[in-house]
Amino acid sequence: MAEEDFDASSFTSQGTFSTKAPDQGFNPALIVLLVVVGTVLVFIVGNYALFSYAKKTLPPRKKKPVSKKKLKRERLKAGVAPAGD
């Protein structure tokens, strides 16, 4: 066999095992997970920001007026004599 007939490059690419994995880009499941987690985080942070802003700017809620019947019942429980007796 002559030196000119021997091509070493043809043998190196046939049966060699590569320790390096081929680059395939990002894992699709990882991308979906990042998008979902990012969306949930933006939702939670946005809700908290709106809640704290509303807490500062909105006036306090008005209390419901207590009915006369309820006032009378509370006075009787406290032991105060009702007016008129």
Side-chain angles (χ1 to χ4, degrees), residues 3 6 13 16 29-31 40-41 44 49 56-58 66 78 81-83:
E3 282 290 322
F6 182 76
S13 64
T16 59
L30 179 67
I31 293 173
V40 169
L41 276 176
I44 291 172
K56 289 180 196 173
T57 57
L58 291 176
V66 181

Side-chain angles (χ1 to χ4, degrees), residues 7-84:
D7 188 15
S9 64
S10 64
F11 290 105
T12 57
S13 64
Q14 284 181 355
T16 59
F17 291 103
S18 176
T19 57
K20 191 175 174 185
D23 288 335
Q24 295 178 352
F26 290 109
N27 187 355
L30 179 67
I31 293 173
V32 170
L33 181 69
L34 288 175
V35 167
V36 169
V37 168
T39 306
V40 169
L41 276 176
V42 166
F43 179 75
I44 291 172
V45 170
N47 272 346
Y48 180 75
L50 285 174
F51 174 73
S52 60
Y53 175 74
K55 211 172 182 183
K56 289 180 196 173
T57 57
L58 291 176
R61 295 176 98 185
K62 292 181 180 178
K63 291 184 178 180
K64 286 184 179 179
V66 181
S67 67
K68 290 180 183 178
K69 192 175 186 181
K70 207 169 201 177
L71 278 174
K72 193 174 186 182
R73 194 177 309 143
E74 286 177 7
R75 283 185 188 154
L76 283 173
K77 281 183 182 177
V80 177

